[in-house]
Amino acid sequence: GAGVSQSPRYKVAKRGQDVALRCDPISGHVSLFWYQQALGQGPEFLTYFQNEAQLDKSGLPSDRFFAERPEGSVSTLKIQRTQQEDSAVYLCASTRTPGRNNEKLFFGSGTQLSVL
Amino acid sequence: KNQVEQSPQSLIILEGKNCTLQCNYTVSPFSNLRWYKQDTGRGPVSLTIMTFSENTKSNGRYTATLDADTKQSSLHITASQLSDSASYICVVSAGNNNDMRFGAGTRLTVKP
């Protein structure tokens, strides 16, 4: 596709439910990032992939958060046993080259997760 | 403490007026700084990128400045339009591991 695509656009989950958020990066983009954005705040880094390798997961807030990119393209962010504090917009971004040198990030529109 | 601080937190201006948004950072060593525009319900979109040696860069009605000595950047918007209403996020990249630090953004509202 022309841009980064994320699905679902909105997700409402009951506390304790597991959720899976999908990101389709721009075709051929090597680097993929996940961010968490609370209302009125800037994005907070969660994890970074270079192709299929997860090179940095230091931003994942707990072991309930898990991300994968098994074939180096589509990525899934999974949150187990969701809590109310997980409510946020989850943004995915990709870049053409490896590394995190602030090459222009192409962001998806995000998945807005609401945990009730 | 966030290494990238933006001000003001929010701003309301009338259509046609100019405004300036500020970004102060403590990220070191500095690699580059990028301004993003984030429309409501959308992902951020890059406006400009500036490296250490650049002190001004323009993109249409947007002009970014950088003072690497004082570690300050500004984004000036000229002749604002209703479509400029958005959050503007400053992102600074560190030169060691190229880690990117995001500011909390300035929420700009342009009113007719």
Side-chain angles (χ1 to χ4, degrees), chain A residues 90-105:
Chain A
Y90 291 85
L91 292 167
C92 175
S94 68
T95 64
R96 186 175 46 87
T97 60
R100 296 185 289 182
N101 57 1
N102 212 0
E103 179 183 338
K104 182 164 60 176
L105 290 164

Side-chain angles (χ1 to χ4, degrees), chain A residues 7 20 26 43 49 68 77 101-102 108 112:
Chain A
S7 61
I26 293 173
F49 289 86
E68 60 183 3
L77 176 67
N101 57 1
N102 212 0
Q112 185 170 328

